[in-house]
Amino acid sequence: MEKPELNLKMLEEMIQIGDRRGVEALLETLTAPQTARSISRLDEPLRIALLRLLSSDDAADLIEELPGFQAATLIEEMEPRNAASIVEKMESADRADVLGVLKEDEANAILDEMAPEQAASARHLMAYPPDTAGGLMITEYMAFGEKSTVGDVVAKLRAQSERFADYQVQYVYVVSARGVLKGVLRLRDILLAKGAAPVESVMIRSPLSVPVTADLDDLRHVFQQYGFVAIPVVDGEKKLLGVIRRAAVEAAAGEEAQQSFLKISGIVGGEEVRTLPLFQRSSRRLSWLSVNIILNVISASVIALYQETLAAVIALAVFLPIISDMSGCSGNQAVAVSIRELTLGLVTPRELFRVLRKELSVGLINGVVLGLLLSVVALLWRGNPYLGLVVGGALALNTLVAASLGGLLPLMLKRVGMDSAIASGPILTTVTDMCGFFLVLRFATYLLPYLT
C-alpha cells in the first residue's frame, strides 16, 4: 500500500509545476478521508494554487468531499470572485452548508459574485436551520406538470441530459400549476409506459412527503420506517420545495453524534482539528477546563472539612479516587442513555419520575454489587471489616445518587433550554465527587474508633 506521505509529496510537486492532469489523476485515486488529510497537510498558498489549477467543476467536486469546516476554510482563503465560480458548481445543499459556515460578510461577498438565480437559491436554503428538512434538502430535482405526457418527460430528459446527469435522485415528481406535489414517477415506470400516456395515469398519487420544518429526529424516524432513497420536501401548502436523501440524513445524524461527543469531551465551540489556529484551539479547550478548576475546588473543599479524619485513617485516601471514578462512570452511563432516548424521542423532558424510577432500580443493584466488591478489597488489604463497611457503603450510596442524577440531568437541562451534552458532565462530576467524598469521610468519622 502506498504511504500517505508519498501521495502528499507527489501532490505538492504537481501543484508547484502546474500539472493539472497529474493532480486530477492523483485525486481520483484517493478516498474522501485521504483527500481531506492531504488537503489539510498543504500550506495555504498550495491549497489556493490547487483550487486555481482545477476546473470549477473539479474544484467543486473536491470541496464537496471535504468536511464542512475544512471546505469553508478553503473557500474563505480565495478571492470572492474565484470562490463564487466554484461554489456555483456545487450541489445546492453543500453550497448552502459551506456558505453558512463562513462569516456573514464573507458569505455575502461570494453571493454577490454569483449568478442571481444561484445566489437566491443559496440564500433561501441558508435561511433554514441546518438540522431540518429545509437545511438538508437539495433543490436539484425533476418536476413536470400534471398535464404532461410520458413522451414529454422522456423528451425533456434527453434534451437536457447534461443537466440531469448530475442529479442523484431516482424519481420524477408531478406538480400542479401552483407547484403543489401531486405524484411521483419512478424512472422504470416512465421507460415502460407508452409515450402518449399522461403522467397522471402512471404516477403514484399522494406520495409520502415531509414538511420543510421537520427536524433531524423526525427525518431519521421516517427513513427508518420507509426504504426510500429520497423523499420530497413540501411547505405548509404542500408545494414542492426540494428533495431530501437518506444519505444526507444519515450524514447529519453522524455529524450530530460527533458534535455531542466533542461537547461531552469538553471541546467547546464545535469542530476542532489540529489545522485550526493554535490560539483558537487553546481557547476552546480552556473555556471548559477553567470552569472545571472551580468545580474541582468545590469538590476538594469537602476533603478539607475532614482533614483530621483523613489524617487519622490515611488508607481512606486510596479509596477516595476509586469511589469518585466509579460513581462518575455510573452517572455517565445514565447520562448517555437519557441523551440517546431524548434524541430518538423515546422519552420527553417531562418524564422525570419515570426516568428516576428506572435509574433508582439500576443504581440500587449496581451500587450494592460494586459496594460489596470494594468492601472485599478493603477487607483483604487492611483486614478491617469496618473499613470495608465505610468504603463499600459510600460507593453503594454514591452509585445510587450518580445513576439517578445522571438519568435526570439531560431531561432537566433540556427543559430549561440548555445543552445537555455539554452541561451534564461537569455538573454530574462535581456532585458525585462531593457526595462520594462526603459519604466516605462522614462514615469514617462515625466509625473512627474502629478504624484506627
Side-chain angles (χ1 to χ4, degrees):
M1 182 180 293
E2 191 172 9
K3 294 183 178 179
E5 302 85 38
L6 296 178
N7 286 332
L8 178 60
K9 186 176 180 181
M10 291 173 59
L11 182 60
E12 289 176 341
E13 292 175 350
M14 290 176 181
I15 295 173
Q16 288 169 349
I17 64 175
D19 185 359
R20 177 176 173 177
R21 291 186 177 180
V23 168
E24 292 174 348
L26 177 58
L27 291 177
E28 287 180 1
T29 66
L30 303 180
T31 63
Q34 288 173 334
T35 301
R37 187 165 57 249
S38 297
I39 299 299
S40 68
R41 300 293 195 277
L42 293 175
D43 295 332
E44 180 177 333
L46 284 178
R47 290 199 296 265
I48 296 175
L50 170 62
L51 293 180
R52 288 177 177 171
L53 187 62
L54 297 174
S55 66
S56 296
D57 287 322
D58 289 337
D61 291 340
L62 171 65
I63 289 175
E64 286 176 342
E65 288 187 4
L66 302 176
F69 65 92
Q70 191 177 17
T73 300
L74 275 177
I75 290 296
E76 68 184 1
E77 291 172 350
M78 304 182 67
E79 292 294 326
R81 179 171 296 181
N82 295 331
S85 66
I86 295 174
V87 172
E88 284 180 334
K89 301 294 184 179
M90 296 174 66
E91 197 173 68
S92 56
D94 293 324
R95 182 191 307 138
D97 288 344
V98 169
L99 291 173
V101 175
L102 299 177
K103 295 177 182 177
E104 185 175 355
D105 56 338
E106 294 175 341
N108 286 332
I110 295 173
L111 287 165
D112 290 342
E113 296 290 342
M114 292 170 58
E117 184 179 348
Q118 298 274 24
S121 174
R123 292 183 192 275
H124 178 68
L125 291 180
M126 290 166 64
Y128 295 109
D131 57 349
T132 64
L136 295 171
M137 70 181 181
I138 58 173
T139 55
E140 294 87 358
Y141 58 86
M142 294 173 281
F144 293 85
E146 56 187 332
K147 301 303 180 182
S148 302
T149 65
V150 171
D152 295 332
V153 174
V154 173
K156 187 171 182 179
L157 289 176
R158 288 174 177 171
Q160 301 185 28
S161 58
E162 290 186 5
R163 173 190 170 195
F164 294 134
D166 293 332
Y167 286 21
Q168 299 180 22
V169 180
Q170 301 177 11
Y171 310 106
V172 175
Y173 299 97
V174 180
V175 295
S176 70
R178 295 178 53 249
V180 175
L181 179 65
K182 291 295 184 178
V184 60
L185 295 166
R186 294 175 298 190
L187 295 183
R188 175 180 177 275
D189 295 335
I190 294 174
L191 293 174
L192 296 178
K194 294 181 179 180
V199 292
E200 289 180 309
S201 65
V202 184
M203 72 181 186
I204 300 172
R205 297 178 180 273
S206 302
L208 175 71
S209 63
V210 293
V212 71
T213 55
D215 61 25
L216 186 57
D217 292 340
D218 293 334
L219 295 172
R220 192 160 41 189
H221 181 67
V222 170
F223 277 105
Q224 286 174 347
Q225 279 190 307
Y226 302 96
F228 299 132
V229 176
I231 298 175
V233 179
V234 298
D235 63 11
E237 298 179 349
K238 295 297 181 180
K239 292 182 179 180
L240 181 61
L241 300 179
V243 176
I244 188 163
R245 295 168 296 181
R246 176 184 296 273
V249 174
E250 292 174 350
E255 186 175 344
E256 182 184 63
Q258 292 175 4
Q259 290 285 344
S260 296
F261 176 74
L262 288 171
K263 290 176 180 179
I264 292 172
S265 302
I267 304 298
V268 179
E271 298 278 7
E272 180 184 326
V273 291
R274 293 184 175 88
T275 52
L276 287 175
L278 173 61
F279 289 106
Q280 185 179 358
R281 293 171 53 218
S282 176
S283 62
R284 287 185 174 186
R285 298 191 187 189
L286 281 174
S287 58
W288 169 278
L289 296 173
S290 56
V291 172
N292 270 269
I293 287 181
I294 299 172
L295 297 177
N296 278 292
V297 168
I298 295 173
S299 300
S301 65
V302 176
I303 298 176
L305 295 175
Y306 291 92
Q307 291 183 68
E308 295 180 2
T309 301
L310 189 57
V313 189
I314 197 64
L316 293 173
V318 175
F319 291 98
L320 288 178
I322 296 175
I323 293 171
S324 171
D325 182 67
M326 291 302 302
S327 301
C329 290
S330 297
N332 283 325
Q333 288 176 332
V335 166
V337 173
S338 287
I339 291 177
R340 173 66 172 164
E341 289 192 337
L342 283 170
T343 301
L344 295 176
L346 300 178
V347 68
T348 68
R350 296 186 177 277
E351 295 181 277
L352 296 175
F353 289 107
R354 177 181 178 277
V355 172
L356 178 61
R357 186 175 68 254
K358 296 286 186 179
E359 289 300 333
L360 279 174
S361 57
V362 173
L364 181 62
I365 295 172
N366 290 358
V368 170
V369 173
L370 294 173
L372 287 173
L373 289 173
L374 193 61
S375 296
V376 172
V377 171
L379 179 61
L380 294 175
W381 179 45
R382 305 292 291 187
N384 189 331
Y386 292 99
L387 178 63
L389 179 62
V390 167
V391 297
L395 178 57
L397 286 176
N398 206 35
T399 299
L400 184 63
V401 171
S404 303
L405 182 62
L408 295 178
L409 265 176
L411 277 68
M412 293 188 292
L413 292 170
K414 185 80 170 179
R415 288 188 66 173
V416 297
M418 293 182 65
D419 192 326
S420 57
I422 195 170
S424 297
I427 296 174
L428 177 68
T429 300
T430 302
V431 173
T432 54
D433 284 356
M434 289 177 61
C435 187
F437 296 160
F438 173 78
L439 289 171
V440 172
L441 296 172
R442 193 61 185 171
F443 289 172
T445 301
Y446 285 136
L447 299 175
L448 192 59
Y450 303 99
L451 297 174
T452 54

Short mmCIF file of all heavy atoms in Angstrom, two decimals, residues 144-148 171-176 180-186 189 197-209 226 228 232 234 238:
data_model
loop_
_atom_site.label_atom_id
_atom_site.label_comp_id
_atom_site.label_asym_id
_atom_site.label_seq_id
_atom_site.Cartn_x
_atom_site.Cartn_y
_atom_site.Cartn_z
N PHE A 144 -42.50 17.85 -13.32
CA PHE A 144 -43.26 18.10 -14.54
C PHE A 144 -44.72 18.38 -14.17
O PHE A 144 -45.21 17.93 -13.13
CB PHE A 144 -43.18 16.90 -15.49
CG PHE A 144 -41.81 16.66 -16.04
CD1 PHE A 144 -40.88 15.92 -15.32
CD2 PHE A 144 -41.44 17.19 -17.26
CE1 PHE A 144 -39.60 15.70 -15.82
CE2 PHE A 144 -40.17 16.98 -17.76
CZ PHE A 144 -39.25 16.24 -17.05
N GLY A 145 -45.39 19.12 -15.02
CA GLY A 145 -46.79 19.44 -14.79
C GLY A 145 -47.67 18.21 -14.89
O GLY A 145 -47.35 17.26 -15.62
N GLU A 146 -48.81 18.26 -14.23
CA GLU A 146 -49.69 17.09 -14.18
C GLU A 146 -50.38 16.82 -15.52
O GLU A 146 -50.95 15.75 -15.72
CB GLU A 146 -50.73 17.26 -13.07
CG GLU A 146 -51.56 18.53 -13.18
CD GLU A 146 -52.45 18.73 -11.96
OE1 GLU A 146 -52.83 17.72 -11.33
OE2 GLU A 146 -52.76 19.89 -11.64
N LYS A 147 -50.32 17.79 -16.42
CA LYS A 147 -50.91 17.58 -17.75
C LYS A 147 -49.91 17.04 -18.76
O LYS A 147 -50.25 16.81 -19.93
CB LYS A 147 -51.50 18.89 -18.27
CG LYS A 147 -52.58 19.50 -17.38
CD LYS A 147 -53.72 18.52 -17.14
CE LYS A 147 -54.80 19.14 -16.26
NZ LYS A 147 -55.90 18.18 -15.97
N SER A 148 -48.67 16.82 -18.33
CA SER A 148 -47.63 16.32 -19.23
C SER A 148 -47.89 14.85 -19.57
O SER A 148 -48.61 14.14 -18.87
CB SER A 148 -46.25 16.45 -18.57
OG SER A 148 -45.98 17.78 -18.23
N TYR A 171 -36.19 9.68 -8.85
CA TYR A 171 -37.61 9.87 -9.05
C TYR A 171 -37.87 11.16 -9.85
O TYR A 171 -37.07 12.09 -9.85
CB TYR A 171 -38.35 9.97 -7.71
CG TYR A 171 -38.02 8.85 -6.75
CD1 TYR A 171 -37.20 9.09 -5.64
CD2 TYR A 171 -38.52 7.57 -6.93
CE1 TYR A 171 -36.89 8.08 -4.76
CE2 TYR A 171 -38.21 6.54 -6.05
CZ TYR A 171 -37.39 6.81 -4.96
OH TYR A 171 -37.07 5.79 -4.09
N VAL A 172 -39.03 11.19 -10.50
CA VAL A 172 -39.52 12.39 -11.18
C VAL A 172 -40.83 12.77 -10.49
O VAL A 172 -41.68 11.91 -10.24
CB VAL A 172 -39.76 12.12 -12.68
CG1 VAL A 172 -40.40 13.35 -13.34
CG2 VAL A 172 -38.45 11.77 -13.37
N TYR A 173 -41.00 14.05 -10.21
CA TYR A 173 -42.16 14.50 -9.45
C TYR A 173 -43.16 15.21 -10.35
O TYR A 173 -42.79 15.87 -11.33
CB TYR A 173 -41.73 15.40 -8.30
CG TYR A 173 -40.81 14.67 -7.34
CD1 TYR A 173 -39.43 14.80 -7.45
CD2 TYR A 173 -41.32 13.81 -6.38
CE1 TYR A 173 -38.58 14.10 -6.60
CE2 TYR A 173 -40.49 13.10 -5.53
CZ TYR A 173 -39.12 13.25 -5.65
OH TYR A 173 -38.28 12.55 -4.82
N VAL A 174 -44.41 15.07 -10.01
CA VAL A 174 -45.50 15.69 -10.76
C VAL A 174 -46.14 16.75 -9.87
O VAL A 174 -46.50 16.47 -8.72
CB VAL A 174 -46.55 14.64 -11.18
CG1 VAL A 174 -47.68 15.31 -11.96
CG2 VAL A 174 -45.91 13.54 -12.01
N VAL A 175 -46.26 17.97 -10.42
CA VAL A 175 -46.80 19.08 -9.63
C VAL A 175 -47.92 19.76 -10.39
O VAL A 175 -48.02 19.68 -11.63
CB VAL A 175 -45.69 20.11 -9.30
CG1 VAL A 175 -44.64 19.50 -8.41
CG2 VAL A 175 -45.05 20.66 -10.58
N SER A 176 -48.77 20.47 -9.66
CA SER A 176 -49.85 21.24 -10.28
C SER A 176 -49.29 22.54 -10.82
O SER A 176 -48.10 22.85 -10.67
CB SER A 176 -50.94 21.52 -9.24
OG SER A 176 -50.46 22.45 -8.27
N VAL A 180 -47.97 22.48 -6.38
CA VAL A 180 -48.36 21.53 -5.33
C VAL A 180 -48.00 20.11 -5.79
O VAL A 180 -48.26 19.72 -6.93
CB VAL A 180 -49.87 21.62 -5.05
CG1 VAL A 180 -50.30 20.54 -4.04
CG2 VAL A 180 -50.23 23.00 -4.52
N LEU A 181 -47.40 19.35 -4.89
CA LEU A 181 -46.99 17.98 -5.21
C LEU A 181 -48.22 17.10 -5.41
O LEU A 181 -49.08 17.00 -4.53
CB LEU A 181 -46.13 17.43 -4.06
CG LEU A 181 -45.64 15.99 -4.21
CD1 LEU A 181 -44.69 15.86 -5.39
CD2 LEU A 181 -44.96 15.52 -2.92
N LYS A 182 -48.28 16.45 -6.58
CA LYS A 182 -49.42 15.60 -6.89
C LYS A 182 -49.04 14.12 -6.95
O LYS A 182 -49.86 13.26 -6.66
CB LYS A 182 -50.02 16.01 -8.23
CG LYS A 182 -50.70 17.36 -8.21
CD LYS A 182 -51.91 17.36 -7.29
CE LYS A 182 -52.66 18.68 -7.32
NZ LYS A 182 -53.86 18.64 -6.45
N GLY A 183 -47.83 13.83 -7.39
CA GLY A 183 -47.45 12.44 -7.53
C GLY A 183 -45.96 12.28 -7.79
O GLY A 183 -45.22 13.27 -7.91
N VAL A 184 -45.54 11.02 -7.87
CA VAL A 184 -44.14 10.72 -8.14
C VAL A 184 -44.07 9.64 -9.21
O VAL A 184 -44.90 8.72 -9.24
CB VAL A 184 -43.42 10.26 -6.85
CG1 VAL A 184 -44.05 9.01 -6.28
CG2 VAL A 184 -41.94 10.02 -7.11
N LEU A 185 -43.11 9.79 -10.11
CA LEU A 185 -42.89 8.83 -11.18
C LEU A 185 -41.57 8.11 -10.95
O LEU A 185 -40.55 8.76 -10.72
CB LEU A 185 -42.83 9.54 -12.53
CG LEU A 185 -44.10 10.25 -13.03
CD1 LEU A 185 -43.74 11.17 -14.19
CD2 LEU A 185 -45.13 9.23 -13.45
N ARG A 186 -41.59 6.80 -11.01
CA ARG A 186 -40.35 6.04 -10.99
C ARG A 186 -39.80 5.96 -12.41
O ARG A 186 -40.57 5.81 -13.37
CB ARG A 186 -40.59 4.64 -10.42
CG ARG A 186 -41.00 4.64 -8.95
CD ARG A 186 -41.35 3.27 -8.47
NE ARG A 186 -42.49 2.70 -9.18
CZ ARG A 186 -43.12 1.58 -8.82
NH1 ARG A 186 -42.70 0.92 -7.76
NH2 ARG A 186 -44.16 1.14 -9.52
N ASP A 189 -41.05 3.09 -14.47
CA ASP A 189 -42.41 3.20 -14.99
C ASP A 189 -42.45 4.09 -16.24
O ASP A 189 -43.23 3.84 -17.17
CB ASP A 189 -43.35 3.76 -13.93
CG ASP A 189 -43.50 2.82 -12.74
OD1 ASP A 189 -43.31 1.60 -12.94
OD2 ASP A 189 -43.80 3.29 -11.64
N ALA A 197 -49.09 8.27 -23.04
CA ALA A 197 -49.79 8.13 -21.75
C ALA A 197 -49.57 9.36 -20.88
O ALA A 197 -48.45 9.85 -20.75
CB ALA A 197 -49.28 6.88 -21.03
N PRO A 198 -50.66 9.91 -20.30
CA PRO A 198 -50.49 11.05 -19.39
C PRO A 198 -49.77 10.61 -18.11
O PRO A 198 -49.94 9.47 -17.66
CB PRO A 198 -51.93 11.49 -19.10
CG PRO A 198 -52.77 10.28 -19.36
CD PRO A 198 -52.07 9.51 -20.45
N VAL A 199 -48.97 11.49 -17.57
CA VAL A 199 -48.21 11.11 -16.37
C VAL A 199 -49.14 10.79 -15.21
O VAL A 199 -48.79 10.00 -14.32
CB VAL A 199 -47.23 12.24 -15.96
CG1 VAL A 199 -46.13 12.40 -16.98
CG2 VAL A 199 -47.95 13.56 -15.71
N GLU A 200 -50.35 11.36 -15.23
CA GLU A 200 -51.32 11.10 -14.16
C GLU A 200 -51.68 9.62 -14.09
O GLU A 200 -52.02 9.09 -13.02
CB GLU A 200 -52.58 11.92 -14.37
CG GLU A 200 -52.40 13.41 -14.12
CD GLU A 200 -53.69 14.18 -14.34
OE1 GLU A 200 -54.31 14.01 -15.41
OE2 GLU A 200 -54.09 14.93 -13.43
N SER A 201 -51.64 8.94 -15.24
CA SER A 201 -52.01 7.52 -15.28
C SER A 201 -50.88 6.62 -14.80
O SER A 201 -51.11 5.43 -14.53
CB SER A 201 -52.42 7.13 -16.70
OG SER A 201 -51.30 7.22 -17.58
N VAL A 202 -49.68 7.15 -14.73
CA VAL A 202 -48.51 6.34 -14.36
C VAL A 202 -47.99 6.67 -12.96
O VAL A 202 -47.41 5.83 -12.28
CB VAL A 202 -47.37 6.56 -15.39
CG1 VAL A 202 -46.18 5.66 -15.10
CG2 VAL A 202 -47.87 6.30 -16.81
N MET A 203 -48.25 7.88 -12.53
CA MET A 203 -47.64 8.35 -11.26
C MET A 203 -48.26 7.68 -10.05
O MET A 203 -49.40 7.19 -10.08
CB MET A 203 -47.80 9.86 -11.14
CG MET A 203 -49.22 10.32 -10.86
SD MET A 203 -49.34 12.13 -10.75
CE MET A 203 -51.05 12.34 -10.24
N ILE A 204 -47.51 7.67 -8.98
CA ILE A 204 -48.00 7.23 -7.67
C ILE A 204 -48.61 8.46 -7.01
O ILE A 204 -47.93 9.45 -6.75
CB ILE A 204 -46.85 6.68 -6.82
CG1 ILE A 204 -46.21 5.47 -7.51
CG2 ILE A 204 -47.35 6.30 -5.42
CD1 ILE A 204 -44.95 4.99 -6.84
N ARG A 205 -49.91 8.40 -6.74
CA ARG A 205 -50.62 9.57 -6.23
C ARG A 205 -50.39 9.75 -4.72
O ARG A 205 -50.14 8.79 -4.00
CB ARG A 205 -52.11 9.46 -6.51
CG ARG A 205 -52.44 9.44 -8.00
CD ARG A 205 -53.93 9.27 -8.24
NE ARG A 205 -54.23 9.25 -9.66
CZ ARG A 205 -54.44 10.33 -10.40
NH1 ARG A 205 -54.38 11.53 -9.83
NH2 ARG A 205 -54.70 10.22 -11.69
N SER A 206 -50.51 11.00 -4.29
CA SER A 206 -50.37 11.37 -2.87
C SER A 206 -49.15 10.70 -2.24
O SER A 206 -49.26 9.93 -1.27
CB SER A 206 -51.63 10.97 -2.09
OG SER A 206 -52.77 11.60 -2.64
N PRO A 207 -47.98 10.95 -2.78
CA PRO A 207 -46.77 10.30 -2.25
C PRO A 207 -46.39 10.81 -0.87
O PRO A 207 -46.82 11.90 -0.45
CB PRO A 207 -45.70 10.68 -3.28
CG PRO A 207 -46.15 12.01 -3.79
CD PRO A 207 -47.64 11.93 -3.85
N LEU A 208 -45.61 10.02 -0.19
CA LEU A 208 -45.11 10.42 1.12
C LEU A 208 -44.23 11.66 0.95
O LEU A 208 -43.42 11.76 0.03
CB LEU A 208 -44.28 9.29 1.74
CG LEU A 208 -43.58 9.61 3.06
CD1 LEU A 208 -44.59 9.74 4.18
CD2 LEU A 208 -42.56 8.53 3.39
N SER A 209 -44.39 12.62 1.85
CA SER A 209 -43.56 13.82 1.85
C SER A 209 -43.29 14.22 3.29
O SER A 209 -43.91 13.72 4.22
CB SER A 209 -44.25 14.96 1.10
OG SER A 209 -45.46 15.32 1.74
N TYR A 226 -39.46 3.75 6.25
CA TYR A 226 -39.63 3.52 4.82
C TYR A 226 -38.27 3.35 4.14
O TYR A 226 -37.29 3.98 4.52
CB TYR A 226 -40.38 4.69 4.17
CG TYR A 226 -41.74 4.93 4.78
CD1 TYR A 226 -41.90 5.90 5.78
CD2 TYR A 226 -42.85 4.21 4.39
CE1 TYR A 226 -43.14 6.14 6.35
CE2 TYR A 226 -44.10 4.43 4.96
CZ TYR A 226 -44.23 5.40 5.94
OH TYR A 226 -45.46 5.61 6.51
N PHE A 228 -37.21 4.32 1.24
CA PHE A 228 -36.99 5.22 0.10
C PHE A 228 -35.58 5.78 0.10
O PHE A 228 -34.98 6.03 1.16
CB PHE A 228 -38.00 6.37 0.13
CG PHE A 228 -39.43 5.93 0.03
CD1 PHE A 228 -40.39 6.43 0.89
CD2 PHE A 228 -39.83 5.01 -0.94
CE1 PHE A 228 -41.71 6.03 0.82
CE2 PHE A 228 -41.15 4.60 -1.03
CZ PHE A 228 -42.09 5.11 -0.16
N PRO A 232 -39.71 13.75 -1.04
CA PRO A 232 -39.94 15.17 -1.35
C PRO A 232 -40.21 16.00 -0.09
O PRO A 232 -40.77 15.50 0.88
CB PRO A 232 -41.16 15.13 -2.27
CG PRO A 232 -41.84 13.84 -1.98
CD PRO A 232 -40.77 12.88 -1.60
N VAL A 234 -41.99 19.52 1.33
CA VAL A 234 -43.06 20.45 0.95
C VAL A 234 -43.25 21.50 2.03
O VAL A 234 -42.83 21.33 3.18
CB VAL A 234 -44.39 19.69 0.72
CG1 VAL A 234 -44.25 18.70 -0.42
CG2 VAL A 234 -44.83 18.96 2.01
N LYS A 238 -48.27 22.31 0.76
CA LYS A 238 -47.91 21.10 0.01
C LYS A 238 -47.19 21.41 -1.31
O LYS A 238 -47.16 20.56 -2.20
CB LYS A 238 -49.14 20.24 -0.27
CG LYS A 238 -49.81 19.67 0.98
CD LYS A 238 -48.88 18.72 1.73
CE LYS A 238 -49.55 18.13 2.96
NZ LYS A 238 -48.63 17.21 3.70
#
